Short mmCIF file of all heavy atoms in Angstrom, two decimals:
data_model
loop_
_atom_site.label_atom_id
_atom_site.label_comp_id
_atom_site.label_asym_id
_atom_site.label_seq_id
_atom_site.Cartn_x
_atom_site.Cartn_y
_atom_site.Cartn_z
N MET A 1 0.82 -1.21 0.03
CA MET A 1 0.05 -0.02 0.05
C MET A 1 0.90 1.19 0.01
O MET A 1 1.90 1.35 0.71
CB MET A 1 -0.88 -0.08 1.31
CG MET A 1 -1.86 1.14 1.35
SD MET A 1 -2.87 1.13 2.87
CE MET A 1 -3.70 2.59 2.64
N LYS A 2 0.51 2.18 -0.78
CA LYS A 2 1.25 3.43 -0.90
C LYS A 2 0.50 4.58 -0.48
O LYS A 2 -0.65 4.70 -0.58
CB LYS A 2 1.70 3.73 -2.36
CG LYS A 2 2.71 2.76 -2.91
CD LYS A 2 3.21 3.09 -4.30
CE LYS A 2 4.26 2.10 -4.71
NZ LYS A 2 4.48 2.09 -6.20
N ILE A 3 1.17 5.49 0.38
CA ILE A 3 0.63 6.62 0.92
C ILE A 3 1.48 7.79 0.71
O ILE A 3 2.56 7.65 0.29
CB ILE A 3 0.38 6.35 2.40
CG1 ILE A 3 1.75 5.90 3.09
CG2 ILE A 3 -0.69 5.42 2.76
CD1 ILE A 3 1.82 5.87 4.53
N THR A 4 0.91 8.98 0.96
CA THR A 4 1.68 10.14 0.72
C THR A 4 2.06 10.84 2.06
O THR A 4 1.28 11.00 2.94
CB THR A 4 0.83 11.22 -0.07
OG1 THR A 4 0.47 10.55 -1.32
CG2 THR A 4 1.54 12.40 -0.39
N ASP A 5 3.30 11.16 2.17
CA ASP A 5 3.88 11.94 3.19
C ASP A 5 3.26 13.34 3.16
O ASP A 5 3.41 14.03 2.24
CB ASP A 5 5.44 11.97 3.04
CG ASP A 5 6.16 12.73 4.21
OD1 ASP A 5 5.58 13.64 4.78
OD2 ASP A 5 7.16 12.28 4.59
N PRO A 6 2.51 13.67 4.19
CA PRO A 6 1.89 14.99 4.18
C PRO A 6 2.84 16.22 4.23
O PRO A 6 2.49 17.33 3.91
CB PRO A 6 0.94 14.97 5.40
CG PRO A 6 1.59 14.02 6.34
CD PRO A 6 2.23 12.96 5.54
N VAL A 7 4.03 15.94 4.72
CA VAL A 7 5.02 17.02 4.85
C VAL A 7 5.65 17.37 3.51
O VAL A 7 5.65 18.52 2.97
CB VAL A 7 6.01 16.80 5.92
CG1 VAL A 7 7.04 17.82 5.99
CG2 VAL A 7 5.23 16.57 7.30
N CYS A 8 6.37 16.33 2.92
CA CYS A 8 7.16 16.60 1.71
C CYS A 8 6.41 16.18 0.46
O CYS A 8 6.87 16.46 -0.61
CB CYS A 8 8.48 15.95 1.93
SG CYS A 8 8.37 14.07 1.80
N GLY A 9 5.35 15.42 0.59
CA GLY A 9 4.56 15.04 -0.50
C GLY A 9 5.08 13.80 -1.22
O GLY A 9 4.57 13.32 -2.26
N LYS A 10 6.09 13.16 -0.71
CA LYS A 10 6.70 11.95 -1.29
C LYS A 10 5.69 10.80 -1.04
O LYS A 10 4.95 10.71 -0.13
CB LYS A 10 7.94 11.56 -0.48
CG LYS A 10 9.22 11.64 -1.27
CD LYS A 10 10.31 10.99 -0.52
CE LYS A 10 11.53 11.87 -0.57
NZ LYS A 10 12.67 11.40 0.43
N THR A 11 5.68 9.90 -2.17
CA THR A 11 4.99 8.70 -2.03
C THR A 11 5.74 7.67 -1.36
O THR A 11 6.99 7.43 -1.78
CB THR A 11 4.48 8.19 -3.42
OG1 THR A 11 3.73 9.16 -4.06
CG2 THR A 11 3.72 6.90 -3.28
N ILE A 12 5.30 7.07 -0.31
CA ILE A 12 5.91 6.09 0.48
C ILE A 12 5.18 4.83 0.58
O ILE A 12 3.95 4.78 0.48
CB ILE A 12 6.41 6.55 1.94
CG1 ILE A 12 5.18 7.33 2.59
CG2 ILE A 12 7.56 7.68 1.86
CD1 ILE A 12 5.38 7.85 3.95
N VAL A 13 5.91 3.79 0.73
CA VAL A 13 5.27 2.37 0.88
C VAL A 13 5.12 2.13 2.35
O VAL A 13 6.02 2.31 3.11
CB VAL A 13 6.23 1.33 0.18
CG1 VAL A 13 5.52 -0.01 0.36
CG2 VAL A 13 6.42 1.69 -1.19
N LEU A 14 3.85 1.75 2.61
CA LEU A 14 3.51 1.69 4.08
C LEU A 14 4.37 0.69 4.84
O LEU A 14 4.75 0.99 6.00
CB LEU A 14 2.02 1.18 4.21
CG LEU A 14 1.32 1.24 5.51
CD1 LEU A 14 1.40 2.65 6.00
CD2 LEU A 14 -0.03 0.69 5.45
N GLU A 15 4.87 -0.34 4.13
CA GLU A 15 5.67 -1.37 4.91
C GLU A 15 7.04 -0.79 5.21
O GLU A 15 7.76 -1.37 6.10
CB GLU A 15 5.82 -2.54 3.91
CG GLU A 15 4.63 -3.50 3.76
CD GLU A 15 3.57 -2.89 2.92
OE1 GLU A 15 3.87 -1.98 2.16
OE2 GLU A 15 2.42 -3.34 2.98
N THR A 16 7.44 0.28 4.52
CA THR A 16 8.75 0.72 4.75
C THR A 16 8.73 2.06 5.54
O THR A 16 9.87 2.72 5.65
CB THR A 16 9.60 0.94 3.46
OG1 THR A 16 8.94 1.99 2.69
CG2 THR A 16 9.63 -0.30 2.65
N VAL A 17 7.61 2.45 6.02
CA VAL A 17 7.53 3.75 6.61
C VAL A 17 8.41 3.91 7.97
O VAL A 17 8.50 2.94 8.74
CB VAL A 17 6.06 4.03 6.89
CG1 VAL A 17 5.55 3.30 8.11
CG2 VAL A 17 5.78 5.50 7.05
N GLU A 18 9.07 4.99 8.02
CA GLU A 18 9.94 5.11 9.20
C GLU A 18 9.39 5.79 10.44
O GLU A 18 9.88 5.69 11.47
CB GLU A 18 11.20 5.95 8.81
CG GLU A 18 12.08 5.15 7.80
CD GLU A 18 13.43 5.78 7.69
OE1 GLU A 18 13.87 6.57 8.60
OE2 GLU A 18 14.03 5.70 6.60
N ALA A 19 8.25 6.55 10.31
CA ALA A 19 7.73 7.25 11.31
C ALA A 19 6.27 7.47 11.09
O ALA A 19 5.80 7.72 9.93
CB ALA A 19 8.46 8.72 11.40
N HIS A 20 5.54 7.41 12.05
CA HIS A 20 4.09 7.85 11.99
C HIS A 20 3.60 8.38 13.33
O HIS A 20 4.24 8.26 14.40
CB HIS A 20 3.26 6.58 11.58
CG HIS A 20 2.73 5.72 12.67
ND1 HIS A 20 3.48 4.84 13.29
CD2 HIS A 20 1.52 5.74 13.25
CE1 HIS A 20 2.72 4.29 14.18
NE2 HIS A 20 1.46 4.87 14.28
N MET A 21 2.48 9.02 13.27
CA MET A 21 1.85 9.48 14.47
C MET A 21 0.39 9.67 14.30
O MET A 21 -0.07 9.72 13.24
CB MET A 21 2.44 10.82 14.95
CG MET A 21 2.02 12.09 14.03
SD MET A 21 2.53 13.65 14.81
CE MET A 21 1.24 13.98 15.96
N GLU A 22 -0.33 9.63 15.45
CA GLU A 22 -1.78 9.81 15.46
C GLU A 22 -2.03 11.38 15.68
O GLU A 22 -1.44 11.92 16.58
CB GLU A 22 -2.42 9.03 16.50
CG GLU A 22 -2.00 7.57 16.47
CD GLU A 22 -3.05 6.72 15.64
OE1 GLU A 22 -4.38 7.03 15.79
OE2 GLU A 22 -2.62 5.93 14.85
N PHE A 23 -2.92 11.82 14.99
CA PHE A 23 -3.34 13.27 15.22
C PHE A 23 -4.80 13.47 14.85
O PHE A 23 -5.27 13.08 13.80
CB PHE A 23 -2.46 14.20 14.27
CG PHE A 23 -2.77 15.69 14.52
CD1 PHE A 23 -2.47 16.40 15.62
CD2 PHE A 23 -3.53 16.32 13.42
CE1 PHE A 23 -2.72 17.63 15.75
CE2 PHE A 23 -3.86 17.75 13.61
CZ PHE A 23 -3.45 18.38 14.81
N LYS A 24 -5.52 13.90 15.88
CA LYS A 24 -6.92 14.08 15.72
C LYS A 24 -7.64 12.73 15.29
O LYS A 24 -8.59 12.84 14.50
CB LYS A 24 -7.39 15.30 14.88
CG LYS A 24 -6.87 16.55 15.42
CD LYS A 24 -7.25 17.73 14.54
CE LYS A 24 -6.96 19.09 15.23
NZ LYS A 24 -7.26 20.23 14.27
N GLY A 25 -7.12 11.68 15.77
CA GLY A 25 -7.70 10.40 15.36
C GLY A 25 -7.31 9.78 14.05
O GLY A 25 -7.75 8.70 13.75
N TRP A 26 -6.46 10.52 13.34
CA TRP A 26 -5.99 9.95 11.99
C TRP A 26 -4.54 9.51 12.29
O TRP A 26 -3.75 10.05 13.00
CB TRP A 26 -6.02 10.98 10.94
CG TRP A 26 -7.40 11.47 10.66
CD1 TRP A 26 -7.85 12.70 10.93
CD2 TRP A 26 -8.38 10.79 9.98
NE1 TRP A 26 -9.15 12.86 10.49
CE2 TRP A 26 -9.49 11.67 9.84
CE3 TRP A 26 -8.47 9.57 9.35
CZ2 TRP A 26 -10.65 11.30 9.23
CZ3 TRP A 26 -9.65 9.07 8.71
CH2 TRP A 26 -10.72 10.00 8.69
N SER A 27 -4.16 8.51 11.43
CA SER A 27 -2.76 8.11 11.42
C SER A 27 -2.11 8.86 10.27
O SER A 27 -2.53 8.75 9.10
CB SER A 27 -2.56 6.57 11.22
OG SER A 27 -3.10 5.98 12.39
N TYR A 28 -0.93 9.37 10.54
CA TYR A 28 -0.04 10.02 9.46
C TYR A 28 1.17 9.34 9.48
O TYR A 28 1.83 8.99 10.36
CB TYR A 28 0.02 11.51 9.75
CG TYR A 28 -1.14 12.34 9.70
CD1 TYR A 28 -2.00 12.45 10.77
CD2 TYR A 28 -1.61 12.79 8.48
CE1 TYR A 28 -3.27 13.14 10.70
CE2 TYR A 28 -2.75 13.50 8.34
CZ TYR A 28 -3.53 13.65 9.48
OH TYR A 28 -4.75 14.35 9.46
N PHE A 29 1.67 9.14 8.10
CA PHE A 29 2.98 8.47 7.96
C PHE A 29 3.88 9.38 7.26
O PHE A 29 3.56 10.21 6.44
CB PHE A 29 2.65 7.18 7.09
CG PHE A 29 1.78 6.25 7.76
CD1 PHE A 29 0.34 6.34 7.48
CD2 PHE A 29 2.23 5.33 8.60
CE1 PHE A 29 -0.51 5.47 8.21
CE2 PHE A 29 1.34 4.40 9.22
CZ PHE A 29 -0.03 4.53 9.06
N PHE A 30 5.24 9.18 7.52
CA PHE A 30 6.24 10.02 7.14
C PHE A 30 7.43 9.25 6.62
O PHE A 30 7.76 8.19 7.07
CB PHE A 30 6.73 10.95 8.17
CG PHE A 30 5.59 11.63 8.90
CD1 PHE A 30 4.94 11.11 9.98
CD2 PHE A 30 5.07 12.88 8.36
CE1 PHE A 30 3.85 11.72 10.60
CE2 PHE A 30 3.92 13.44 8.80
CZ PHE A 30 3.33 12.99 10.02
N CYS A 31 8.15 9.87 5.58
CA CYS A 31 9.26 9.17 4.98
C CYS A 31 10.45 9.19 5.96
O CYS A 31 11.41 8.42 5.70
CB CYS A 31 9.60 9.85 3.61
SG CYS A 31 10.27 11.53 3.76
N SER A 32 10.51 10.04 6.86
CA SER A 32 11.65 10.24 7.72
C SER A 32 11.27 10.88 9.05
O SER A 32 10.21 11.42 9.17
CB SER A 32 12.74 11.06 7.01
OG SER A 32 12.34 12.30 6.94
N LYS A 33 12.24 10.72 9.99
CA LYS A 33 12.00 11.38 11.30
C LYS A 33 11.94 12.97 11.10
O LYS A 33 11.31 13.66 11.87
CB LYS A 33 13.09 11.06 12.25
CG LYS A 33 13.10 9.59 12.65
CD LYS A 33 12.17 9.40 13.87
CE LYS A 33 11.83 7.88 14.17
NZ LYS A 33 12.92 6.98 14.09
N THR A 34 12.66 13.38 10.12
CA THR A 34 12.67 14.79 9.93
C THR A 34 11.29 15.43 9.50
O THR A 34 10.85 16.38 9.98
CB THR A 34 13.66 15.09 8.78
OG1 THR A 34 15.00 14.51 8.96
CG2 THR A 34 13.80 16.58 8.48
N CYS A 35 10.58 14.67 8.67
CA CYS A 35 9.25 15.01 8.28
C CYS A 35 8.31 14.91 9.50
O CYS A 35 7.45 15.74 9.71
CB CYS A 35 8.75 14.20 7.08
SG CYS A 35 9.46 14.73 5.51
N LEU A 36 8.51 13.88 10.27
CA LEU A 36 7.69 13.65 11.48
C LEU A 36 7.90 14.90 12.40
O LEU A 36 6.89 15.48 12.92
CB LEU A 36 8.13 12.43 12.14
CG LEU A 36 7.48 12.22 13.61
CD1 LEU A 36 5.97 12.05 13.44
CD2 LEU A 36 8.02 10.97 14.25
N ASN A 37 9.11 15.30 12.63
CA ASN A 37 9.39 16.41 13.51
C ASN A 37 8.75 17.70 12.98
O ASN A 37 8.14 18.52 13.68
CB ASN A 37 10.93 16.66 13.63
CG ASN A 37 11.54 15.43 14.53
OD1 ASN A 37 10.91 14.79 15.14
ND2 ASN A 37 12.89 15.37 14.35
N CYS A 38 8.78 17.89 11.72
CA CYS A 38 8.25 19.01 11.06
C CYS A 38 6.79 18.99 11.28
O CYS A 38 6.07 20.11 11.54
CB CYS A 38 8.58 18.94 9.52
SG CYS A 38 8.42 20.47 8.70
N PHE A 39 6.17 17.85 11.02
CA PHE A 39 4.76 17.76 11.22
C PHE A 39 4.30 18.08 12.72
O PHE A 39 3.31 18.68 13.05
CB PHE A 39 4.21 16.39 10.87
CG PHE A 39 2.75 16.15 10.89
CD1 PHE A 39 1.91 16.47 9.94
CD2 PHE A 39 2.21 15.64 12.13
CE1 PHE A 39 0.54 16.22 9.89
CE2 PHE A 39 0.73 15.38 12.08
CZ PHE A 39 0.00 15.67 11.01
N GLN A 40 5.10 17.55 13.67
CA GLN A 40 4.73 17.69 15.00
C GLN A 40 4.82 19.12 15.53
O GLN A 40 4.19 19.64 16.39
CB GLN A 40 5.82 16.83 15.89
CG GLN A 40 5.39 15.41 15.95
CD GLN A 40 6.46 14.49 16.61
OE1 GLN A 40 7.65 14.77 16.62
NE2 GLN A 40 5.98 13.48 17.32
N ARG A 41 5.65 19.93 14.81
CA ARG A 41 5.83 21.33 15.23
C ARG A 41 4.60 22.03 14.80
O ARG A 41 4.11 22.96 15.59
CB ARG A 41 7.08 21.96 14.54
CG ARG A 41 8.30 21.90 15.32
CD ARG A 41 9.39 22.92 14.86
NE ARG A 41 9.70 22.71 13.41
CZ ARG A 41 10.67 21.91 13.13
NH1 ARG A 41 11.35 21.19 13.94
NH2 ARG A 41 10.98 21.84 11.75
N GLU A 42 4.14 21.81 13.60
CA GLU A 42 3.00 22.57 13.18
C GLU A 42 1.99 21.69 12.38
O GLU A 42 1.85 21.78 11.20
CB GLU A 42 3.35 23.85 12.28
CG GLU A 42 4.19 24.83 13.03
CD GLU A 42 4.39 25.98 12.01
OE1 GLU A 42 3.46 26.81 11.79
OE2 GLU A 42 5.51 26.13 11.56
N PRO A 43 1.32 20.74 13.02
CA PRO A 43 0.44 19.73 12.38
C PRO A 43 -0.69 20.51 11.59
O PRO A 43 -0.95 19.99 10.54
CB PRO A 43 -0.14 18.93 13.54
CG PRO A 43 0.16 19.58 14.79
CD PRO A 43 1.32 20.52 14.55
N ASP A 44 -1.13 21.51 11.99
CA ASP A 44 -2.29 22.25 11.45
C ASP A 44 -1.86 22.74 10.05
O ASP A 44 -2.73 22.94 9.14
CB ASP A 44 -2.82 23.40 12.23
CG ASP A 44 -3.62 22.83 13.40
OD1 ASP A 44 -4.25 21.79 13.26
OD2 ASP A 44 -3.55 23.52 14.51
N GLN A 45 -0.64 22.85 9.84
CA GLN A 45 -0.17 23.37 8.59
C GLN A 45 -0.30 22.31 7.48
O GLN A 45 -0.32 22.55 6.33
CB GLN A 45 1.35 23.79 8.72
CG GLN A 45 1.89 24.47 7.44
CD GLN A 45 3.42 24.81 7.73
OE1 GLN A 45 3.70 25.22 8.84
NE2 GLN A 45 4.18 24.73 6.78
N PHE A 46 -0.26 21.05 7.87
CA PHE A 46 -0.26 19.99 6.99
C PHE A 46 -1.55 19.06 6.84
O PHE A 46 -1.66 18.43 5.86
CB PHE A 46 0.89 18.99 7.40
CG PHE A 46 2.29 19.53 7.40
CD1 PHE A 46 2.85 19.90 8.54
CD2 PHE A 46 2.82 19.95 6.20
CE1 PHE A 46 4.07 20.56 8.60
CE2 PHE A 46 4.08 20.60 6.26
CZ PHE A 46 4.64 20.88 7.48
N VAL A 47 -2.38 19.26 7.76
CA VAL A 47 -3.72 18.58 7.77
C VAL A 47 -4.89 19.51 7.20
O VAL A 47 -4.83 20.72 7.47
CB VAL A 47 -4.11 17.98 9.17
CG1 VAL A 47 -3.09 16.89 9.46
CG2 VAL A 47 -4.32 18.96 10.11
N GLU A 48 -5.79 19.04 6.48
CA GLU A 48 -6.85 19.78 6.01
C GLU A 48 -8.08 19.29 6.84
O GLU A 48 -8.13 18.18 7.27
CB GLU A 48 -7.11 19.43 4.57
CG GLU A 48 -5.93 19.83 3.62
CD GLU A 48 -5.94 19.27 2.28
OE1 GLU A 48 -7.07 18.72 1.97
OE2 GLU A 48 -5.04 19.18 1.56
N GLU A 49 -8.99 20.16 6.92
CA GLU A 49 -10.21 19.79 7.56
C GLU A 49 -10.95 18.80 6.83
O GLU A 49 -11.23 18.91 5.54
CB GLU A 49 -11.11 20.99 7.82
CG GLU A 49 -10.70 21.85 8.91
CD GLU A 49 -10.63 21.16 10.33
OE1 GLU A 49 -11.58 20.42 10.57
OE2 GLU A 49 -9.67 21.40 11.08
N ARG A 50 -11.35 17.70 7.43
CA ARG A 50 -11.96 16.58 6.71
C ARG A 50 -13.14 16.09 7.53
O ARG A 50 -13.08 16.07 8.70
CB ARG A 50 -10.98 15.45 6.38
CG ARG A 50 -9.95 15.84 5.36
CD ARG A 50 -8.98 14.79 5.16
NE ARG A 50 -7.91 15.35 4.29
CZ ARG A 50 -7.83 15.06 2.96
NH1 ARG A 50 -8.64 14.15 2.43
NH2 ARG A 50 -6.88 15.51 2.28
N SER A 51 -14.06 15.65 6.85
CA SER A 51 -15.31 15.21 7.57
C SER A 51 -15.40 13.66 7.66
O SER A 51 -16.18 13.18 8.43
CB SER A 51 -16.54 15.71 6.86
OG SER A 51 -16.41 15.30 5.49
N GLY A 52 -14.55 12.91 7.01
CA GLY A 52 -14.68 11.49 7.09
C GLY A 52 -13.74 10.71 6.23
O GLY A 52 -13.56 9.55 6.49
N ALA A 53 -13.26 11.28 5.25
CA ALA A 53 -12.33 10.55 4.33
C ALA A 53 -11.08 10.32 4.95
O ALA A 53 -10.53 11.15 5.81
CB ALA A 53 -12.18 11.26 3.08
N PRO A 54 -10.42 9.28 4.71
CA PRO A 54 -9.08 8.99 5.22
C PRO A 54 -8.13 10.15 4.85
O PRO A 54 -8.18 10.64 3.68
CB PRO A 54 -8.57 7.66 4.51
CG PRO A 54 -9.90 6.95 4.14
CD PRO A 54 -10.81 8.12 3.82
N PRO A 55 -7.24 10.62 5.66
CA PRO A 55 -6.41 11.78 5.48
C PRO A 55 -5.23 11.59 4.66
O PRO A 55 -4.75 12.43 4.08
CB PRO A 55 -6.19 12.22 6.86
CG PRO A 55 -5.96 10.92 7.59
CD PRO A 55 -7.10 10.08 7.02
N SER A 56 -4.69 10.35 4.65
CA SER A 56 -3.33 10.17 4.22
C SER A 56 -3.36 9.87 2.62
O SER A 56 -2.32 9.78 2.04
CB SER A 56 -2.49 9.17 4.99
OG SER A 56 -3.29 7.98 5.03
N ILE A 57 -4.42 9.54 2.08
CA ILE A 57 -4.50 9.17 0.74
C ILE A 57 -4.67 10.43 -0.13
O ILE A 57 -5.84 10.94 -0.20
CB ILE A 57 -5.67 8.19 0.50
CG1 ILE A 57 -5.64 7.07 1.56
CG2 ILE A 57 -5.53 7.59 -0.92
CD1 ILE A 57 -4.39 6.32 1.61
N ARG A 58 -3.60 10.90 -0.64
CA ARG A 58 -3.67 12.12 -1.53
C ARG A 58 -2.86 11.76 -2.77
O ARG A 58 -1.82 11.32 -2.66
CB ARG A 58 -3.20 13.24 -0.71
CG ARG A 58 -3.66 14.57 -1.25
CD ARG A 58 -3.11 15.79 -0.72
NE ARG A 58 -3.35 15.75 0.78
CZ ARG A 58 -2.67 16.67 1.63
NH1 ARG A 58 -1.72 17.45 1.19
NH2 ARG A 58 -2.80 16.61 2.92
N ARG A 59 -3.44 12.16 -3.85
CA ARG A 59 -2.62 11.82 -5.09
C ARG A 59 -1.45 12.80 -5.34
O ARG A 59 -1.60 13.95 -5.06
CB ARG A 59 -3.61 11.94 -6.41
CG ARG A 59 -4.58 10.87 -6.38
CD ARG A 59 -5.71 11.41 -7.55
NE ARG A 59 -6.84 10.52 -7.44
CZ ARG A 59 -6.93 9.40 -8.22
NH1 ARG A 59 -6.10 9.15 -9.09
NH2 ARG A 59 -8.08 8.78 -8.07
N PRO A 60 -0.32 12.25 -5.76
CA PRO A 60 0.81 13.10 -5.91
C PRO A 60 0.43 14.11 -6.96
O PRO A 60 -0.11 13.71 -8.01
CB PRO A 60 1.94 12.04 -6.44
CG PRO A 60 1.44 10.73 -6.00
CD PRO A 60 -0.11 10.80 -5.90
N GLY A 61 0.82 15.23 -6.73
CA GLY A 61 0.70 16.32 -7.66
C GLY A 61 -0.82 16.83 -7.70
O GLY A 61 -1.03 17.80 -8.51
N GLY A 62 -1.64 16.28 -7.05
CA GLY A 62 -3.05 16.62 -6.98
C GLY A 62 -3.23 17.60 -5.89
O GLY A 62 -4.12 18.46 -5.92
ZN1 ZN B 101 8.86 13.29 3.98
#
C-alpha cells in the first residue's frame, strides 16, 4: 500500500515507513523522522479539515 507523506509530498510504501503519528484520530505516515518532527511542530499546517475521508490518501501532484 502506498501513501503520501503530508509534509514533503513523497509517495511512500506503508511497509517501509519510518515514522508515524496519530493526530486528531488519524494516522499520518512520514518518509523520515525529519518530516515527522516538522509535522509535530505545526500539524495544522499539513492537515486539511476533513469530515470522514481518510487523510493520508492524496494523489501526488493533485
Ligand atoms: Zn517526507
Side-chain angles (χ1 to χ4, degrees):
M1 184 180 174
K2 286 183 181 164
I3 48 172
T4 302
D5 183 323
V7 175
C8 68
K10 242 189 232 176
T11 301
I12 45 181
V13 180
L14 191 60
E15 286 78 13
T16 64
V17 75
E18 288 194 28
H20 91 279
M21 74 170 278
E22 305 266 317
F23 180 72
K24 292 184 177 175
W26 298 107
S27 292
Y28 293 89
F29 300 90
F30 307 94
C31 67
S32 66
K33 294 269 163 53
T34 307
C35 283
L36 173 64
N37 290 340
C38 198
F39 184 88
Q40 283 175 324
R41 269 201 299 274
E42 293 185 76
D44 288 326
Q45 191 182 318
F46 302 107
V47 297
E48 297 162 17
E49 283 302 317
R50 287 174 192 258
S51 52
S56 55
I57 314 299
R58 205 185 301 168
R59 287 167 194 266

